[in-house]
Amino acid sequence: MARYKGIEVKDGVRQLLPHMPLIEEYREVLQSLQAVWDNLNLLGQMSGTTAEIGQTREAFASLTSELLNNLAEQTLAKREQEMKAKSQVVIDILIRNLFERTADIGFLTTDDAIRRFAAEPGEPRALQQRFQEYVRKYSVYEDVVLLDCNGNILARLVPDARVLAIGDGWVRQAAATTATYVEVYGHSGLFPDQPRSLIYAYRVSSAQGETLGVLALCFRFADEMTRIFRGLAQADDPGVMALLDAGGQVIASSDPWQVPVGAELQLASGRLQRLRFAGRSYLAFASDTKGYQGYLGPGWRGLVMMPVDQAFDMHDDDQLAAIEPSLLASVMSGGRAFSATLRAIPQQAEAIQRDLSRAVWNGTVRQGATSASSIFSKILLREISRVGMSMREVFSRSIGNLQTTVLSSLLADSQFFAALAVDIMDRNLYERANDCRWWALDSTIRRLMATADDNGRQAGLEKVIGYINSLYTVYDDILLFDTTGKVIAAANPEHAKLVGQPLDEPWVDECLALASSQSYAVSRFAGSPLYAARPTYVYLAALRAPDDARVVGGIAIVFDSAPQFAAMLYDALPREASGEPVAGSFAVFLDAEGKIIAASDPAYRPGQQLEIPPDLLKPPAGGCSRLIVVNGQVMAVGARLSTGYREYKGGDDTYRNEVTALVFIPLGVYDAQASLAKPSGDVASRRSSIAADVPVSEIATFHLGDHWLGLPVTAIEEAIELSGAACLANAPKQVYGALLHRNEALPIYNLDAALGLAVPAETAGSRQVVVVRGENGVNFGILVDRLGEIMEAAVSDIDDLSNIYVGVASVLASVVKTPAKDGSSMLVLLSVASMSQHLRGSLSAAPLAA
């Protein structure tokens, strides 16, 4: 522990507290109030009127320290979680993208047109046009280059007269490697003006295995990183996202003015660190990739850096106001959102406030019960009560902010992970739209589909699409069909029986009517006989004859939706520190009608209607989050609508398919009856507005449920905490039990039972006992929920109940016609004689039981 401006704080947050303005504000206000209260307490002790109040000072100081520490820790934890999640997504989204590139290079090197040109180089224009077709579909590439094994350029998408040959080492490496691709990031002779390029290369071989050359796919690295950073950026966010290479050098930055490319940063992964860079202090979090299907990429890391002086700029907004009280109370009572320590803070604050209120109440009662009542003492007590109420207000606001910080962090998590899920989906399906169009341009497929049916056509076609399907495992099948819709070939051997059968699907005609090689079609997400009646998407493109004169059929690629969507959603789940998904969390994709497309939890089946609030099904741009109840659990739910990736579902693309991703994080069991603890009321005495010559009675009041009760101050000794009470065996219901008070047994009268009231569960553990001066000097206690004000009432406003009602229980003596300050109820005075009589009869017949 360390001290910060008079407050005991934990070492982990000491250096960061000066940068947490909201916590600084609370600290200053609390310490200012504490100083005022200390002065008032000193005056009270000098006058002998507030001896009990000093006992709560240490508790207030302790709670102030604990509250500020927890608020600081949760503020830091919220920022750390945000930085951790962003840094992980920066690298993992990129790695998913690069994984697709490793498949692309392996497949493209088997393209017949490329093979023929590598074997017999000539005029490159036709091959350049093929490269253009490829990049029109796979727009993640800036260039496609075919070289011979010595680095001479044979054909290139974007010719550069300055570069006819290169001496890059990756050319020889790609020609000789035993791996399935070569991945290189660095300066390349292909791009003399660029400091670094990301290139995927592999050899082009003849059918006999002879190496003919090397093909290179040049990834649009800077453009892709800009898209990733833009998708994760938030308005007015002062942080910087970056990508580090294996040596710790920055190779991409969302803000190169703060953190330039080329900067060297030596950081450990997986933990929040303090970093000084370019004369400024930062918080930094770096994450290694989790990989994708075993692919870990070039060894890069995602990084988020946040200037310390701006990291904790927060507004003291009451974000909990819009949350249903029973939801918030349920979350506060248990579950993963709030630890036992955090849940105890409001209880501690209420207990301390209750002690202070009781001390002021007792002091006011004593002043009213003495003939030498001091005007100064009453004013002093009233002022102490006012300061106590101010403290309660600050505690209430700071506790509310603590709760808001925790809940808003969880809600932000759910929204962030929903955005991640939908981004993963859009990027994945972008590749599917590309694949079907590119494979429709395969020269072997087009030639065989354009020829008359013969015994070798099916085998030739299935050889091509079977090879494709072996490389691209995200597909359950690839089908080729003619202009009548009849299946000509199937890649999946299990679907051989489909060959020769007509496809009775609405998308057949849509596919055959596609206008160009850039067009594609997608089925509805529905059960399909091509996928064992399970729901999936089928991506389609028209097949044209080699001369492009006519459409000769179509290609249908059947997305293996069940495992692929499940994997996407699983990767978007919130994680524990161990890396395992949070227990009970789940994620779903929904269509525009709220029907489930896929879910990470098998309890939710595709096609099932999910009943959710409309704003979650149709979230605004940027997404939204809220608390809802699902199967008896309070859940933080984040929602994000699909917006597409690059051309897919955007720009001139005519395909639109509204999909919403939802991520659910369980926070605790829902209790519809749960409610937050109500703070104690103001117990200061009410200033009398009664004329000086009018006889008055000073009354000490208290509350039992919604009932406002009281006794003359002369009948009351003090109020004490209900603690250590023992029950009385065989006693009537009006007798609660007894406790030891001033070395004597104090019997306790149960007003709830006497008046036929139920004891609210939430107040049972925080009740108080008003010690009453009974008949013949025998004191007894009565149970109350909370203490009220000390007030003066004109004697003429007090009416005996027998004059108003007939048959009223004898424990009620009279009513006071003076209304409550809020006008909610009438003050009823109790009968000390009746309660004493009940207790005398009960105690004579009931032995005390431990």
Side-chain angles (χ1 to χ4, degrees), residues 379-456:
I379 293 173
L380 180 62
L381 287 166
R382 194 176 293 125
E383 189 63 18
I384 290 174
S385 178
R386 185 192 65 78
V387 174
M389 293 296 289
S390 297
M391 282 187 163
R392 187 185 74 185
E393 180 185 348
V394 177
F395 272 133
S396 178
R397 282 197 298 118
S398 53
I399 289 171
N401 196 278
L402 175 61
Q403 295 167 345
T404 297
T405 299
V406 174
L407 281 181
S408 64
S409 179
L410 288 164
L411 288 168
D413 280 354
S414 66
Q415 186 172 330
F416 179 84
F417 288 119
L420 174 60
V422 86
D423 190 38
I424 291 173
M425 180 199 67
D426 281 340
R427 287 167 172 269
N428 190 297
L429 298 185
Y430 158 84
E431 303 288 346
R432 313 298 62 96
N434 295 340
D435 290 348
C436 70
R437 292 179 292 171
W438 178 248
W439 298 337
L441 295 178
D442 183 89
S443 58
T444 300
I445 293 176
R446 295 171 70 182
R447 176 176 53 81
L448 291 175
M449 287 295 293
T451 61
D453 190 7
D454 59 44
N455 292 334

XYZ file of all heavy atoms in Angstrom, residues 379-456:
619
model
N -28.450 22.765 16.698
C -27.933 23.294 15.430
C -26.721 22.461 14.989
O -26.570 22.130 13.807
C -27.560 24.777 15.569
C -28.825 25.622 15.807
C -26.811 25.267 14.338
C -28.539 27.081 16.113
N -25.859 22.124 15.966
C -24.674 21.339 15.669
C -25.052 19.971 15.111
O -24.501 19.515 14.095
C -23.825 21.185 16.927
C -22.519 20.384 16.790
C -21.581 21.065 15.810
C -21.849 20.232 18.154
N -26.000 19.320 15.772
C -26.438 18.002 15.305
C -27.057 18.089 13.912
O -26.855 17.219 13.064
C -27.438 17.403 16.296
C -26.842 16.914 17.622
C -27.940 16.670 18.646
C -26.026 15.644 17.391
N -27.832 19.151 13.702
C -28.462 19.331 12.398
C -27.396 19.513 11.310
O -27.498 18.976 10.207
C -29.394 20.535 12.448
C -30.353 20.637 11.270
C -31.304 21.815 11.459
N -32.203 21.608 12.580
C -32.335 22.455 13.610
N -31.621 23.555 13.654
N -33.187 22.194 14.574
N -26.329 20.238 11.627
C -25.268 20.478 10.654
C -24.469 19.195 10.387
O -24.085 18.903 9.253
C -24.338 21.584 11.160
C -23.327 22.070 10.151
C -23.962 22.712 8.938
O -25.155 23.094 9.000
O -23.271 22.824 7.896
N -24.226 18.406 11.452
C -23.543 17.126 11.278
C -24.370 16.212 10.378
O -23.846 15.528 9.499
C -23.272 16.459 12.637
C -22.207 17.244 13.396
C -22.830 15.002 12.463
C -21.971 16.755 14.815
N -25.673 16.220 10.586
C -26.555 15.408 9.749
C -26.491 15.864 8.294
O -26.467 15.051 7.367
C -27.993 15.506 10.258
O -28.862 14.759 9.444
N -26.430 17.192 8.084
C -26.365 17.705 6.718
C -25.080 17.254 6.024
O -25.094 16.839 4.863
C -26.439 19.238 6.736
C -26.506 19.868 5.354
C -26.284 21.366 5.428
N -24.940 21.689 5.876
C -23.869 21.629 5.092
N -23.967 21.244 3.821
N -22.668 21.931 5.571
N -23.948 17.328 6.761
C -22.681 16.878 6.191
C -22.733 15.377 5.918
O -22.236 14.893 4.898
C -21.506 17.231 7.126
C -20.206 16.632 6.612
C -21.374 18.739 7.263
N -23.342 14.630 6.843
C -23.491 13.194 6.629
C -24.299 12.882 5.382
O -23.975 11.958 4.624
N -25.340 13.671 5.140
C -26.150 13.464 3.941
C -25.338 13.792 2.685
O -25.451 13.119 1.665
C -27.404 14.339 3.997
C -28.385 13.933 5.099
S -29.078 12.292 4.835
C -30.133 12.622 3.453
N -24.493 14.822 2.763
C -23.630 15.145 1.624
C -22.659 14.013 1.355
O -22.394 13.654 0.201
C -22.861 16.442 1.893
O -23.742 17.534 2.040
N -22.120 13.429 2.439
C -21.228 12.289 2.268
C -21.974 11.126 1.614
O -21.442 10.452 0.725
C -20.667 11.851 3.614
C -19.538 12.718 4.127
S -18.795 12.018 5.611
C -17.262 12.934 5.648
N -23.184 10.897 2.067
C -23.970 9.805 1.488
C -24.198 10.034 0.002
O -24.113 9.112 -0.805
C -25.316 9.683 2.202
C -26.112 8.453 1.769
C -27.473 8.435 2.392
N -28.350 9.423 1.773
C -29.587 9.697 2.196
N -30.059 9.101 3.258
N -30.321 10.590 1.571
N -24.445 11.288 -0.365
C -24.671 11.593 -1.779
C -23.411 11.327 -2.603
O -23.468 10.744 -3.691
C -25.097 13.048 -1.927
C -25.348 13.457 -3.374
C -25.663 14.937 -3.516
O -25.901 15.598 -2.490
O -25.647 15.420 -4.661
N -22.232 11.730 -2.063
C -20.980 11.487 -2.785
C -20.700 9.991 -2.870
O -20.305 9.473 -3.922
C -19.810 12.228 -2.114
C -18.497 11.916 -2.828
C -20.062 13.727 -2.117
N -20.899 9.283 -1.746
C -20.715 7.840 -1.765
C -21.658 7.191 -2.774
O -21.269 6.305 -3.529
C -20.968 7.238 -0.382
C -19.747 7.206 0.499
C -19.811 7.631 1.813
C -18.534 6.758 0.015
C -18.693 7.609 2.628
C -17.407 6.728 0.817
C -17.485 7.161 2.126
N -22.902 7.659 -2.783
C -23.884 7.081 -3.698
C -23.462 7.298 -5.147
O -23.535 6.380 -5.972
C -25.255 7.709 -3.445
O -26.211 7.199 -4.355
N -22.993 8.509 -5.468
C -22.565 8.790 -6.834
C -21.328 7.992 -7.217
O -21.225 7.465 -8.318
C -22.290 10.289 -7.006
C -23.534 11.137 -7.157
C -23.210 12.511 -7.722
N -22.328 13.277 -6.858
C -21.124 13.698 -7.191
N -20.630 13.405 -8.380
N -20.381 14.405 -6.352
N -20.367 7.908 -6.279
C -19.135 7.187 -6.596
C -19.371 5.685 -6.671
O -18.792 5.005 -7.520
C -18.047 7.517 -5.570
O -18.512 7.299 -4.255
N -20.245 5.158 -5.800
C -20.597 3.735 -5.897
C -21.341 3.482 -7.197
O -21.102 2.487 -7.894
C -21.438 3.303 -4.685
C -20.564 3.257 -3.420
C -22.067 1.927 -4.916
C -21.341 3.061 -2.136
N -22.241 4.399 -7.542
C -22.947 4.264 -8.818
C -21.989 4.291 -9.986
O -22.144 3.543 -10.956
N -20.959 5.143 -9.883
C -19.976 5.203 -10.965
C -19.145 3.940 -11.013
O -18.776 3.463 -12.091
C -19.061 6.417 -10.789
C -18.290 6.740 -12.044
O -17.271 6.134 -12.313
N -18.792 7.690 -12.821
N -18.855 3.368 -9.857
C -18.137 2.093 -9.807
C -18.960 1.005 -10.488
O -18.458 0.224 -11.298
C -17.848 1.722 -8.349
C -17.198 0.362 -8.084
C -15.833 0.287 -8.760
C -17.058 0.129 -6.588
N -20.247 0.965 -10.157
C -21.131 -0.019 -10.786
C -21.236 0.224 -12.290
O -21.206 -0.715 -13.094
C -22.518 0.047 -10.135
C -22.513 -0.357 -8.671
C -23.796 0.013 -7.954
O -24.603 0.810 -8.440
N -24.010 -0.559 -6.783
N -21.325 1.504 -12.655
C -21.397 1.844 -14.071
C -20.139 1.410 -14.803
O -20.193 0.875 -15.916
C -21.603 3.362 -14.241
O -22.847 3.727 -13.662
C -21.603 3.745 -15.710
N -18.970 1.643 -14.174
C -17.704 1.277 -14.801
C -17.650 -0.219 -15.076
O -17.257 -0.661 -16.163
C -16.530 1.685 -13.896
O -16.559 3.101 -13.710
C -15.200 1.296 -14.517
N -18.058 -1.019 -14.086
C -18.031 -2.474 -14.246
C -19.016 -2.914 -15.319
O -18.678 -3.672 -16.237
C -18.343 -3.168 -12.907
C -18.455 -4.675 -13.103
C -17.258 -2.862 -11.883
N -20.261 -2.427 -15.219
C -21.284 -2.864 -16.170
C -21.020 -2.333 -17.575
O -21.201 -3.050 -18.561
C -22.672 -2.423 -15.699
C -23.301 -3.274 -14.599
C -24.681 -2.743 -14.242
C -23.411 -4.733 -15.026
N -20.597 -1.079 -17.673
C -20.351 -0.530 -19.007
C -19.203 -1.266 -19.677
O -19.181 -1.419 -20.903
C -20.067 0.968 -18.935
O -18.878 1.228 -18.217
N -18.238 -1.732 -18.882
C -17.136 -2.514 -19.441
C -17.662 -3.823 -20.021
O -17.282 -4.225 -21.130
C -16.085 -2.800 -18.360
O -15.023 -3.572 -18.885
N -18.568 -4.481 -19.293
C -19.138 -5.742 -19.779
C -20.032 -5.505 -20.999
O -20.020 -6.283 -21.952
C -19.930 -6.419 -18.661
C -19.073 -7.012 -17.541
C -19.922 -7.298 -16.308
C -18.377 -8.277 -18.012
N -20.802 -4.420 -20.970
C -21.651 -4.110 -22.119
C -20.791 -3.755 -23.335
O -21.095 -4.177 -24.457
C -22.591 -2.951 -21.777
C -23.722 -3.287 -20.798
C -24.411 -2.017 -20.305
C -24.746 -4.213 -21.446
N -19.725 -3.005 -23.106
C -18.821 -2.672 -24.211
C -18.158 -3.933 -24.758
O -17.976 -4.081 -25.972
C -17.769 -1.674 -23.744
N -17.805 -4.871 -23.854
C -17.226 -6.141 -24.297
C -18.184 -6.876 -25.217
O -17.799 -7.372 -26.285
C -16.904 -7.036 -23.093
C -15.616 -6.653 -22.406
O -14.905 -5.769 -22.936
O -15.316 -7.215 -21.347
N -19.436 -6.974 -24.792
C -20.409 -7.725 -25.597
C -20.594 -7.084 -26.965
O -20.687 -7.781 -27.982
C -21.754 -7.813 -24.854
O -22.351 -6.538 -24.711
N -20.602 -5.753 -27.006
C -20.759 -5.049 -28.285
C -19.511 -5.220 -29.150
O -19.606 -5.414 -30.366
C -21.033 -3.578 -28.019
C -21.364 -2.774 -29.260
C -21.819 -1.366 -28.923
O -22.410 -1.125 -27.874
N -21.544 -0.428 -29.802
N -18.346 -5.173 -28.526
C -17.094 -5.338 -29.261
C -17.013 -6.734 -29.875
O -16.645 -6.890 -31.043
C -15.916 -5.099 -28.319
C -14.574 -5.259 -28.970
C -13.998 -4.211 -29.664
C -13.887 -6.459 -28.900
C -12.756 -4.348 -30.272
C -12.652 -6.610 -29.502
C -12.090 -5.549 -30.188
N -17.343 -7.749 -29.083
C -17.241 -9.109 -29.593
C -18.309 -9.396 -30.651
O -18.079 -10.207 -31.558
C -17.329 -10.109 -28.442
C -16.097 -10.120 -27.577
C -16.167 -9.809 -26.231
C -14.851 -10.399 -28.114
C -15.037 -9.801 -25.430
C -13.710 -10.390 -27.327
C -13.803 -10.092 -25.985
N -19.455 -8.736 -30.561
C -20.453 -8.873 -31.620
C -19.916 -8.281 -32.921
O -20.108 -8.848 -34.006
C -21.754 -8.183 -31.212
N -19.236 -7.134 -32.818
C -18.622 -6.525 -34.006
C -17.539 -7.432 -34.574
O -17.399 -7.566 -35.798
C -18.039 -5.158 -33.646
N -16.782 -8.082 -33.693
C -15.752 -9.006 -34.147
C -16.382 -10.185 -34.894
O -15.900 -10.581 -35.965
C -14.948 -9.510 -32.945
C -13.920 -10.606 -33.223
C -12.876 -10.132 -34.232
C -13.249 -11.049 -31.926
N -17.463 -10.729 -34.331
C -18.123 -11.879 -34.962
C -18.617 -11.543 -36.360
O -18.418 -12.309 -37.313
C -19.287 -12.360 -34.092
N -19.256 -10.384 -36.500
C -19.815 -10.039 -37.806
C -18.707 -9.673 -38.790
O -18.823 -9.927 -39.998
C -20.855 -8.909 -37.661
C -20.238 -7.522 -37.696
C -21.940 -9.026 -38.715
N -17.605 -9.115 -38.297
C -16.471 -8.799 -39.167
C -15.817 -10.077 -39.684
O -15.478 -10.185 -40.870
C -15.452 -7.955 -38.402
C -14.381 -7.384 -39.316
O -14.705 -6.991 -40.442
O -13.210 -7.346 -38.901
N -15.646 -11.052 -38.795
C -15.101 -12.346 -39.219
C -15.993 -12.978 -40.280
O -15.511 -13.497 -41.293
C -14.951 -13.290 -38.008
C -13.841 -12.789 -37.073
C -14.646 -14.710 -38.459
C -13.742 -13.570 -35.774
N -17.307 -12.929 -40.072
C -18.250 -13.520 -41.025
C -18.167 -12.818 -42.379
O -18.071 -13.479 -43.431
C -19.675 -13.439 -40.484
C -20.713 -14.044 -41.420
S -22.388 -13.499 -41.075
C -22.287 -11.777 -41.514
N -18.214 -11.472 -42.366
C -18.192 -10.738 -43.639
C -16.910 -11.004 -44.421
O -16.920 -11.175 -45.641
C -18.342 -9.237 -43.378
C -19.781 -8.830 -43.111
O -20.694 -9.592 -43.486
O -19.997 -7.757 -42.511
N -15.788 -11.037 -43.710
C -14.516 -11.295 -44.380
C -14.481 -12.717 -44.946
O -13.943 -12.951 -46.035
C -13.363 -11.086 -43.401
C -13.086 -9.628 -43.081
C -12.159 -9.492 -41.869
N -11.741 -8.106 -41.683
C -10.661 -7.567 -42.213
N -9.877 -8.300 -42.986
N -10.352 -6.312 -42.001
N -15.019 -13.657 -44.197
C -15.027 -15.046 -44.650
C -15.909 -15.201 -45.888
O -15.498 -15.811 -46.893
C -15.524 -15.947 -43.515
C -15.343 -17.417 -43.825
O -15.936 -17.937 -44.762
N -14.542 -18.097 -43.018
N -17.099 -14.635 -45.853
C -18.021 -14.796 -46.980
C -17.580 -13.976 -48.199
O -17.934 -14.317 -49.337
C -19.440 -14.427 -46.547
C -20.014 -15.315 -45.413
C -21.466 -14.951 -45.135
C -19.891 -16.799 -45.746
N -16.814 -12.937 -47.984
C -16.185 -12.209 -49.101
C -15.343 -13.165 -49.926
O -15.356 -13.146 -51.162
C -15.333 -11.082 -48.519
C -14.224 -10.551 -49.403
C -14.467 -9.588 -50.371
C -12.911 -11.000 -49.232
C -13.434 -9.088 -51.163
C -11.872 -10.504 -50.011
C -12.146 -9.551 -50.983
O -11.119 -9.056 -51.749
N -14.598 -14.009 -49.241
C -13.768 -14.989 -49.944
C -14.625 -15.986 -50.719
O -14.255 -16.420 -51.818
C -12.879 -15.736 -48.947
C -11.986 -14.853 -48.097
C -10.832 -14.255 -48.883
O -10.571 -14.721 -50.023
O -10.178 -13.327 -48.361
N -15.779 -16.350 -50.176
C -16.653 -17.312 -50.860
C -17.213 -16.720 -52.150
O -17.302 -17.396 -53.176
C -17.807 -17.730 -49.949
C -17.458 -18.125 -48.522
C -16.559 -19.301 -48.331
N -15.227 -19.300 -48.824
C -14.141 -18.986 -48.126
N -14.254 -18.540 -46.899
N -12.926 -19.088 -48.662
N -17.577 -15.430 -52.094
C -18.066 -14.767 -53.307
C -16.969 -14.677 -54.359
O -17.240 -14.773 -55.569
C -18.597 -13.375 -52.965
N -15.735 -14.508 -53.921
C -14.606 -14.462 -54.855
C -14.342 -15.829 -55.475
O -14.112 -15.959 -56.691
C -13.335 -13.996 -54.137
C -13.446 -12.568 -53.634
O -14.276 -11.805 -54.102
N -12.609 -12.219 -52.682
N -14.351 -16.865 -54.621
C -14.000 -18.210 -55.078
C -14.898 -18.688 -56.213
O -14.417 -19.189 -57.239
C -14.079 -19.200 -53.907
C -12.977 -18.999 -52.887
O -12.018 -18.252 -53.181
O -13.077 -19.571 -51.787
N -16.207 -18.537 -56.034
C -17.115 -19.086 -57.051
C -16.900 -18.387 -58.396
O -16.942 -19.024 -59.457
C -18.573 -18.994 -56.585
S -19.261 -17.336 -56.507
N -16.619 -17.096 -58.380
C -16.430 -16.363 -59.637
C -15.106 -16.719 -60.308
O -15.026 -16.810 -61.535
C -16.497 -14.854 -59.377
C -17.869 -14.349 -58.983
C -17.868 -12.870 -58.718
N -17.095 -12.537 -57.524
C -16.785 -11.283 -57.169
N -17.159 -10.268 -57.936
N -16.097 -11.046 -56.068
N -14.069 -16.911 -59.497
C -12.773 -17.233 -60.082
C -12.767 -18.651 -60.641
O -12.264 -18.900 -61.734
C -11.668 -17.046 -59.056
C -10.323 -17.422 -59.593
C -9.542 -18.476 -59.214
C -9.626 -16.772 -60.661
N -8.393 -18.511 -59.959
C -8.412 -17.472 -60.854
C -9.897 -15.661 -61.458
C -7.480 -17.099 -61.823
C -8.965 -15.290 -62.410
C -7.769 -15.998 -62.595
N -13.326 -19.579 -59.896
C -13.332 -20.953 -60.375
C -14.195 -21.102 -61.619
O -13.989 -22.007 -62.431
C -13.809 -21.902 -59.279
C -12.894 -21.869 -58.076
C -11.592 -21.496 -58.055
C -13.229 -22.226 -56.736
N -11.077 -21.596 -56.786
C -12.059 -22.043 -55.944
C -14.382 -22.679 -56.112
C -12.025 -22.302 -54.585
C -14.365 -22.952 -54.757
C -13.183 -22.754 -53.997
N -15.182 -20.209 -61.773
C -16.002 -20.232 -62.989
C -15.188 -19.845 -64.222
O -15.622 -20.077 -65.361
C -17.195 -19.290 -62.844
N -14.000 -19.261 -64.005
C -13.128 -18.878 -65.117
C -12.067 -19.936 -65.418
O -11.236 -19.732 -66.311
C -12.442 -17.546 -64.798
C -13.366 -16.324 -64.686
C -12.550 -15.089 -64.321
C -14.141 -16.099 -65.975
N -12.090 -21.040 -64.678
C -11.098 -22.084 -64.921
C -11.242 -22.605 -66.351
O -12.327 -23.016 -66.780
C -11.291 -23.228 -63.913
C -10.239 -24.297 -64.069
O -9.184 -24.186 -63.431
O -10.482 -25.255 -64.831
N -10.132 -22.605 -67.082
C -10.193 -22.950 -68.505
C -10.594 -24.399 -68.737
O -11.328 -24.708 -69.688
C -8.834 -22.667 -69.164
O -7.801 -23.406 -68.517
N -10.159 -25.293 -67.878
C -10.523 -26.706 -68.041
C -12.017 -26.907 -67.826
O -12.684 -27.619 -68.593
C -9.717 -27.581 -67.059
O -8.324 -27.411 -67.316
C -10.084 -29.044 -67.209
N -12.541 -26.287 -66.771
C -13.976 -26.403 -66.495
C -14.781 -25.832 -67.664
O -15.750 -26.455 -68.131
C -14.329 -25.689 -65.173
C -13.699 -26.423 -63.980
C -15.837 -25.601 -64.995
C -13.912 -25.736 -62.647
N -14.403 -24.666 -68.131
C -15.156 -24.030 -69.221
C -15.093 -24.878 -70.501
O -16.100 -25.059 -71.195
C -14.598 -22.624 -69.480
C -14.804 -21.687 -68.316
C -14.066 -20.371 -68.494
N -14.657 -19.551 -69.558
C -14.181 -18.380 -69.940
N -13.075 -17.904 -69.358
N -14.757 -17.700 -70.900
N -13.906 -25.403 -70.788
C -13.766 -26.195 -72.025
C -14.598 -27.467 -71.947
O -15.331 -27.795 -72.895
C -12.286 -26.531 -72.232
C -12.007 -27.440 -73.430
C -10.512 -27.637 -73.633
N -9.842 -28.091 -72.416
C -9.837 -29.371 -72.014
N -10.489 -30.301 -72.714
N -9.187 -29.713 -70.912
N -14.523 -28.173 -70.835
C -15.259 -29.436 -70.719
C -16.773 -29.203 -70.659
O -17.546 -29.998 -71.197
C -14.792 -30.207 -69.480
C -13.362 -30.782 -69.547
C -12.976 -31.411 -68.216
C -13.264 -31.811 -70.679
N -17.184 -28.139 -70.001
C -18.626 -27.855 -69.926
C -19.178 -27.447 -71.294
O -20.373 -27.617 -71.565
C -18.888 -26.744 -68.905
C -18.730 -27.190 -67.457
S -19.940 -28.430 -66.924
C -21.460 -27.478 -66.987
N -18.317 -26.899 -72.164
C -18.780 -26.453 -73.482
C -18.802 -27.582 -74.504
O -19.400 -27.434 -75.576
C -17.895 -25.313 -73.979
N -18.165 -28.715 -74.190
C -18.136 -29.834 -75.136
C -19.331 -30.732 -74.929
O -20.011 -30.696 -73.895
C -16.851 -30.656 -74.940
O -16.816 -31.184 -73.600
C -15.616 -29.810 -75.176
N -19.562 -31.550 -75.962
C -20.660 -32.512 -75.870
C -20.344 -33.534 -74.782
O -19.181 -33.826 -74.478
C -20.864 -33.210 -77.218
N -21.406 -34.094 -74.232
C -21.244 -35.087 -73.166
C -20.489 -36.293 -73.683
O -20.788 -36.834 -74.735
C -22.626 -35.500 -72.644
C -22.513 -36.345 -71.389
O -21.394 -36.490 -70.862
O -23.557 -36.850 -70.929
N -19.470 -36.719 -72.954
C -18.769 -37.949 -73.295
C -18.327 -38.622 -72.002
O -18.473 -38.074 -70.912
C -17.574 -37.677 -74.219
C -16.566 -36.720 -73.607
O -16.247 -36.876 -72.398
O -16.100 -35.811 -74.313
N -17.761 -39.787 -72.133
C -17.416 -40.559 -70.941
C -16.329 -39.916 -70.101
O -16.241 -40.156 -68.911
C -16.967 -41.969 -71.354
C -18.115 -42.781 -71.939
O -19.271 -42.516 -71.610
N -17.800 -43.731 -72.805
N -15.502 -39.093 -70.702
C -14.389 -38.512 -69.950
C -14.693 -37.161 -69.343
O -13.890 -36.653 -68.556
